[in-house]
Amino acid sequence: MEITDIETRVLRRDLDERFANAQKWIESREYCLVRVETAEGVVGWGECWGPAAGNREIVDEYVAPRVVGRRVDDVERVHDDLVFELRSSYHSYVPASVVSGVDIALWDAYGKSVGRSVSRLLGGRRRDEVRAYATGHFFRDVDDLSELKQIVAEEAQGHVDAGFTALKQKIGLARHFPWGPDEDLELVAAVREAVGDDVELMVDANHAYDLADARRVARGLESHDVRFFEEPVRPAVDYYADLADGVDVALAGGECWAFQHEFERVTRETGVEYLQPDVTSAGGITSTRRVATLADSANVQCVPHVFGSAVALAASLQVIAATPGDPLLEFDRTPNPIREDLAVDPITNDGDSVQIRDEPGLGIEIDEDVLERFAV
């Protein structure tokens, strides 16, 4: 099980139509994948969050020399050693997306080496399928709020027509448009009216608000029966603790936090009721599984954040299979041929349900032609 090679593969595709969340316009989808190979020729794939620049160089030039020669079944020790060594080297931060991509690839290769799915190696499967909620409803290039309301409402209805019984929409318009919290609540009202009362609705602000506006929006969301309010404020623990005091809507967050120690403080000091680690940025499968265990011990639910390629989706499903409680799967519905085509046998939904594969590793095979088509 000796690791003989680690390298990155960068994929990119410009979008036909850009879209935005509260923080940025998204004009392309770009992924830094990590490829690990063992002495027996077993190949595992991982994925780093964020732009390739930085991730690629650290994996190829810093991580590879430290990991080649080690055993792939020592994946959790490799994870912890990398966190320690990177902290020593960079002082002010640990590039968690790098640790994540390498960790996912090692788990995939480990599972394939022993002929077992990652979820089996994580201690056993609690479920073979998971309820999925449709993520979408991003902002578009419009000049009129009524046009945007119509776009997101029609998109939401399309998700319901496809069988989804839960949706998540974006708010936080002020960064890109001459609108604010009142218009954000109008967007939520438009989706609720379009899909009716029987569909669960979640709302994601991508840390758009200060505390005052976050409280104002949170109270407005209560009348729309919102299950959770995701990333209402900047991802600082104290802000969440302040906001939780005095609002009734459940708070969710975690895609911007990494490693168990950050989430431990969150569960101890805030009112966050849904923890959302992302396998590509929280520290990989190792850290995400640890956060799920931590969440269970704190009596809150782990609902992983997912917004990546087929690798991120497959890795998230393996963690969800072993997660206590009643997790949900975030299912990205924005147009993305890299996500849709990268796996030879793509992961798809059947209504609001997604099957969790029990094949070795992550349960997917990467299409080499697609790698070549979108290679940077």
Side-chain angles (χ1 to χ4, degrees), residues 201-216:
L201 183 59
M202 286 77 81
V203 171
D204 183 1
N206 292 104
H207 48 94
Y209 303 119
D210 60 24
L211 281 168
D213 281 341
R215 285 195 185 94
R216 178 179 169 191

Side-chain angles (χ1 to χ4, degrees), residues 3 63 66-67 69-86 99 102-104 106-107 110 122 259 283 285-287 289-290:
I3 302 163
V63 172
R66 287 165 171 77
V67 176
R70 300 189 65 170
R71 288 178 60 94
V72 75
D73 56 346
D74 283 338
V75 54
E76 292 202 47
R77 181 174 177 183
V78 171
H79 170 283
D80 293 344
D81 287 348
L82 280 179
V83 172
F84 180 85
E85 292 172 15
L86 287 163
V99 177
V102 173
D103 183 82
I104 295 167
L106 292 178
W107 276 108
Y110 176 22
L122 293 178
F259 308 120
I285 289 172
T286 296
S287 285
R289 189 274 302 270
R290 292 174 180 175

Side-chain angles (χ1 to χ4, degrees), residues 297-314:
S297 69
N299 202 30
V300 299
Q301 184 60 58
C302 180
V303 179
H305 174 267
V306 188
F307 194 70
S309 79
V311 175
L313 179 58

Side-chain angles (χ1 to χ4, degrees), residues 86-345:
L86 287 163
R87 167 65 73 188
S88 177
S89 295
Y90 289 90
H91 278 194
S92 59
Y93 86 113
V94 177
S97 56
V98 166
V99 177
S100 301
V102 173
D103 183 82
I104 295 167
L106 292 178
W107 276 108
D108 188 28
Y110 176 22
K112 290 173 179 174
S113 295
V114 297
R116 302 177 71 189
S117 64
V118 168
S119 52
R120 299 282 178 192
L121 299 175
L122 293 178
R125 293 163 64 91
R126 297 171 183 264
R127 58 192 58 82
D128 296 318
E129 62 181 15
V130 62
R131 183 180 178 218
Y133 67 88
T135 282
H137 320 96
F138 286 81
F139 311 145
R140 309 302 207 284
D141 273 316
V142 298
D143 297 319
D144 185 79
L145 180 64
S146 62
E147 184 180 358
L148 183 57
K149 288 163 62 176
Q150 180 178 351
I151 289 171
V152 297
E154 290 177 353
E155 184 180 342
Q157 185 59 58
H159 299 325
V160 174
D161 292 343
F164 288 94
T165 58
L167 313 172
K168 187 173 78 177
Q169 73 173 107
K170 298 292 186 178
I171 58 173
L173 291 162
R175 184 175 179 87
H176 309 298
F177 302 97
W179 308 316
D182 290 340
E183 288 78 12
D184 289 331
L185 290 170
E186 285 187 46
L187 270 186
V188 178
V191 170
R192 173 55 78 197
E193 182 179 358
V195 301
D197 295 334
D198 294 334
V199 173
E200 281 197 302
L201 183 59
M202 286 77 81
V203 171
D204 183 1
N206 292 104
H207 48 94
Y209 303 119
D210 60 24
L211 281 168
D213 281 341
R215 285 195 185 94
R216 178 179 169 191
V217 172
R219 289 165 183 157
L221 293 176
E222 293 168 13
S223 63
H224 299 301
D225 191 24
V226 168
R227 177 166 177 171
F228 64 67
F229 186 10
E230 179 177 337
E231 283 204 315
V233 290
R234 281 178 286 179
V237 172
D238 293 343
Y239 298 149
Y240 277 83
D242 291 340
L243 179 61
D245 232 4
V247 302
D248 291 332
V249 65
L251 302 183
E255 67 180 89
C256 293
W257 293 318
F259 308 120
Q260 183 177 349
H261 65 276
E262 290 194 30
F263 284 91
E264 190 278 331
R265 186 182 172 205
V266 170
T267 59
R268 176 166 39 88
E269 299 184 20
T270 78
V272 173
E273 296 177 61
Y274 295 90
L275 289 184
Q276 299 175 297
D278 188 306
V279 291
T280 68
S281 63
I285 289 172
T286 296
S287 285
T288 304
R289 189 274 302 270
R290 292 174 180 175
V291 171
T293 301
L294 176 69
D296 184 54
S297 69
N299 202 30
V300 299
Q301 184 60 58
C302 180
V303 179
H305 174 267
V306 188
F307 194 70
S309 79
V311 175
L313 179 58
S316 300
L317 281 167
Q318 291 299 309
V319 175
I320 286 172
T323 294
D326 187 23
L328 298 168
L329 170 68
E330 179 170 13
F331 201 86
D332 175 20
R333 295 268 290 172
T334 59
N336 184 354
I338 298 179
R339 182 194 68 242
E340 295 159 4
D341 299 341
L342 184 59
V344 172
D345 181 15

